[in-house]
Amino acid sequence: MAAFIAKQMVGNQLSAVKDAAGGGDGGDDGDDKEKAEEEERERQEAIKEAEDRRKEKHRKMEEEREKMRQDIRDKYNIKKKEEIVEAAPQEEPNPLMRKKKTPEELAAEAEQEELDDFTSKFLLPLSNAVEPSPARGIYILQFQPTNCSAPIAPAPIL
Protein backbone atom coordinates (compact mmCIF):
# COMPACT_ATOMS: atom_id res chain seq x y z
CA MET A 1 0.00 0.00 0.00
CA ALA A 2 2.80 2.38 0.90
CA ALA A 3 4.57 1.54 -2.38
CA PHE A 4 1.47 2.44 -4.34
CA ILE A 5 1.14 5.82 -2.61
CA ALA A 6 4.84 6.56 -3.13
CA LYS A 7 4.58 5.65 -6.82
CA GLN A 8 1.56 7.90 -7.24
CA MET A 9 3.29 10.85 -5.62
CA VAL A 10 6.53 10.40 -7.59
CA GLY A 11 4.64 9.70 -10.82
CA ASN A 12 2.60 12.89 -10.52
CA GLN A 13 5.76 14.91 -9.93
CA LEU A 14 7.54 13.31 -12.89
CA SER A 15 4.65 14.00 -15.25
CA ALA A 16 4.57 17.63 -14.08
CA VAL A 17 8.31 17.96 -14.82
CA LYS A 18 7.86 16.37 -18.29
CA ASP A 19 5.04 18.76 -19.17
CA ALA A 20 7.07 21.77 -18.02
CA ALA A 21 10.14 20.66 -20.03
CA GLY A 22 8.10 20.00 -23.17
CA GLY A 23 8.65 16.29 -23.07
CA GLY A 24 5.01 15.54 -22.39
CA ASP A 25 2.52 14.41 -25.00
CA GLY A 26 0.62 17.68 -25.40
CA GLY A 27 -0.06 17.29 -29.15
CA ASP A 28 -1.94 14.00 -28.88
CA ASP A 29 -5.11 15.42 -27.31
CA GLY A 30 -7.10 15.03 -30.56
CA ASP A 31 -5.97 11.43 -30.97
CA ASP A 32 -6.78 10.66 -27.34
CA LYS A 33 -10.32 11.98 -27.75
CA GLU A 34 -10.87 9.93 -30.89
CA LYS A 35 -9.51 6.82 -29.18
CA ALA A 36 -11.71 7.41 -26.16
CA GLU A 37 -14.80 7.86 -28.38
CA GLU A 38 -13.95 4.69 -30.31
CA GLU A 39 -13.47 2.74 -27.08
CA GLU A 40 -16.80 4.04 -25.77
CA ARG A 41 -18.58 2.97 -28.99
CA GLU A 42 -16.99 -0.47 -28.76
CA ARG A 43 -18.00 -0.73 -25.12
CA GLN A 44 -21.62 0.23 -25.92
CA GLU A 45 -21.71 -2.32 -28.76
CA ALA A 46 -20.34 -5.02 -26.45
CA ILE A 47 -23.00 -4.20 -23.86
CA LYS A 48 -25.73 -4.36 -26.49
CA GLU A 49 -24.45 -7.69 -27.84
CA ALA A 50 -24.30 -9.15 -24.33
CA GLU A 51 -27.87 -8.00 -23.67
CA ASP A 52 -29.05 -9.55 -26.95
CA ARG A 53 -27.33 -12.85 -26.09
CA ARG A 54 -28.93 -12.81 -22.65
CA LYS A 55 -32.41 -12.17 -24.08
CA GLU A 56 -31.97 -14.91 -26.68
CA LYS A 57 -30.80 -17.35 -23.99
CA HIS A 58 -33.85 -16.61 -21.84
CA ARG A 59 -36.18 -16.89 -24.83
CA LYS A 60 -34.78 -20.34 -25.65
CA MET A 61 -35.07 -21.44 -22.02
CA GLU A 62 -38.70 -20.30 -21.92
CA GLU A 63 -39.45 -22.18 -25.15
CA GLU A 64 -37.94 -25.35 -23.65
CA ARG A 65 -39.98 -24.91 -20.48
CA GLU A 66 -43.17 -24.36 -22.45
CA LYS A 67 -42.43 -27.51 -24.48
CA MET A 68 -41.98 -29.48 -21.25
CA ARG A 69 -45.22 -28.03 -19.86
CA GLN A 70 -47.07 -29.01 -23.03
CA ASP A 71 -45.67 -32.55 -22.87
CA ILE A 72 -46.93 -32.88 -19.29
CA ARG A 73 -50.35 -31.47 -20.29
CA ASP A 74 -50.56 -33.96 -23.15
CA LYS A 75 -49.47 -36.86 -20.95
CA TYR A 76 -52.06 -36.18 -18.24
CA ASN A 77 -54.77 -34.68 -20.50
CA ILE A 78 -54.70 -31.31 -18.80
CA LYS A 79 -56.19 -28.34 -20.61
CA LYS A 80 -54.15 -25.18 -20.74
CA LYS A 81 -55.64 -22.29 -18.80
CA GLU A 82 -56.55 -19.37 -21.02
CA GLU A 83 -55.14 -16.13 -19.72
CA ILE A 84 -57.47 -13.17 -19.69
CA VAL A 85 -55.28 -10.21 -20.50
CA GLU A 86 -57.89 -7.50 -20.00
CA ALA A 87 -59.03 -8.61 -16.53
CA ALA A 88 -55.64 -8.14 -14.85
CA PRO A 89 -55.30 -4.33 -15.23
CA GLN A 90 -58.85 -3.74 -13.98
CA GLU A 91 -58.33 -5.60 -10.71
CA GLU A 92 -55.85 -3.31 -8.98
CA PRO A 93 -55.23 0.01 -10.75
CA ASN A 94 -51.97 1.72 -10.00
CA PRO A 95 -52.70 4.93 -8.07
CA LEU A 96 -49.84 6.67 -9.85
CA MET A 97 -51.29 5.88 -13.27
CA ARG A 98 -54.87 6.92 -12.55
CA LYS A 99 -56.90 9.16 -14.84
CA LYS A 100 -56.40 12.83 -14.11
CA LYS A 101 -59.44 14.75 -12.96
CA THR A 102 -60.81 17.66 -14.93
CA PRO A 103 -61.02 21.12 -13.32
CA GLU A 104 -64.80 20.71 -13.09
CA GLU A 105 -64.40 17.45 -11.18
CA LEU A 106 -61.85 19.04 -8.86
CA ALA A 107 -64.17 22.01 -8.19
CA ALA A 108 -67.11 19.70 -7.47
CA GLU A 109 -64.95 17.62 -5.14
CA ALA A 110 -63.71 20.72 -3.29
CA GLU A 111 -67.28 21.96 -2.91
CA GLN A 112 -68.35 18.57 -1.58
CA GLU A 113 -65.56 18.67 1.01
CA GLU A 114 -66.74 22.09 2.16
CA LEU A 115 -70.17 20.71 2.86
CA ASP A 116 -69.57 19.22 6.25
CA ASP A 117 -72.13 18.58 9.01
CA PHE A 118 -72.48 22.24 9.95
CA THR A 119 -73.07 23.51 6.44
CA SER A 120 -75.37 20.68 5.49
CA LYS A 121 -77.53 21.18 8.64
CA PHE A 122 -77.65 24.96 8.92
CA LEU A 123 -76.47 26.81 5.83
CA LEU A 124 -78.22 24.80 3.13
CA PRO A 125 -81.70 25.33 4.65
CA LEU A 126 -80.89 29.05 4.84
CA SER A 127 -79.80 29.19 1.22
CA ASN A 128 -83.02 27.43 0.19
CA ALA A 129 -85.05 30.00 2.14
CA VAL A 130 -83.55 32.99 0.33
CA GLU A 131 -85.69 34.28 -2.54
CA PRO A 132 -84.58 37.02 -4.90
CA SER A 133 -86.88 40.02 -5.10
CA PRO A 134 -87.70 41.88 -8.31
CA ALA A 135 -85.22 44.60 -7.32
CA ARG A 136 -81.66 43.72 -8.07
CA GLY A 137 -79.38 42.90 -5.11
CA ILE A 138 -82.17 42.66 -2.53
CA TYR A 139 -82.97 39.29 -1.05
CA ILE A 140 -85.85 38.36 1.19
CA LEU A 141 -85.17 35.76 3.85
CA GLN A 142 -88.06 33.51 4.74
CA PHE A 143 -87.05 31.31 7.60
CA GLN A 144 -89.26 29.44 10.01
CA PRO A 145 -87.56 28.25 13.20
CA THR A 146 -88.52 24.72 14.14
CA ASN A 147 -87.31 24.36 17.73
CA CYS A 148 -88.17 27.73 19.26
CA SER A 149 -90.64 28.23 22.05
CA ALA A 150 -90.64 32.02 21.90
CA PRO A 151 -91.51 33.99 18.77
CA ILE A 152 -88.64 35.80 17.10
CA ALA A 153 -89.17 39.41 16.08
CA PRO A 154 -87.61 40.53 12.81
CA ALA A 155 -84.68 42.90 13.11
CA PRO A 156 -85.33 46.46 11.95
CA ILE A 157 -83.74 47.47 8.66
CA LEU A 158 -81.51 50.51 8.99
Side-chain angles (χ1 to χ4, degrees):
M1 181 74 174
F4 173 75
I5 295 172
K7 185 177 180 182
Q8 288 294 325
M9 290 177 15
V10 172
N12 290 339
Q13 292 173 354
L14 286 176
S15 64
V17 170
K18 282 184 184 178
D19 289 340
D25 50 359
D28 294 337
D29 288 342
D31 292 339
D32 289 343
K33 289 181 182 178
E34 290 175 8
K35 288 179 183 177
E37 289 175 3
E38 182 65 29
E39 288 175 2
E40 180 64 23
R41 274 187 253 128
E42 289 175 2
R43 188 181 71 81
Q44 292 294 332
E45 289 175 9
I47 290 172
K48 185 178 180 190
E49 288 175 13
E51 183 69 19
D52 291 342
R53 285 193 304 265
R54 185 189 67 81
K55 285 181 180 179
E56 181 66 22
K57 176 184 170 186
H58 286 283
R59 187 187 62 77
K60 286 180 182 178
M61 286 174 41
E62 187 59 34
E63 285 177 2
E64 291 173 5
R65 290 177 183 156
E66 185 58 35
K67 183 181 176 198
M68 289 174 59
R69 289 183 198 118
Q70 189 60 44
D71 290 343
I72 292 170
R73 283 189 213 108
D74 292 341
K75 181 178 178 181
Y76 296 106
N77 295 326
I78 300 172
K79 293 183 182 178
K80 184 176 179 179
K81 293 182 181 177
E82 295 297 326
E83 295 180 12
I84 301 173
V85 178
E86 296 177 19
Q90 294 176 355
E91 291 176 10
E92 189 70 33
N94 186 350
L96 298 176
M97 301 300 289
R98 70 179 187 272
K99 179 185 166 201
K100 293 183 179 177
K101 295 180 181 178
T102 63
E104 295 81 22
E105 292 173 336
L106 291 172
E109 192 173 285
E111 186 175 328
Q112 187 65 27
E113 288 176 1
E114 289 177 6
L115 296 177
D116 59 355
D117 290 338
F118 176 76
T119 56
S120 63
K121 288 182 182 177
F122 298 109
L123 295 182
L124 284 179
L126 285 177
S127 64
N128 293 337
V130 173
E131 295 179 7
S133 68
R136 210 188 290 180
I138 299 174
Y139 292 94
I140 301 170
L141 180 62
Q142 297 176 350
F143 180 70
Q144 298 294 326
T146 57
N147 296 342
C148 290
S149 58
I152 298 176
I157 299 176
L158 301 175

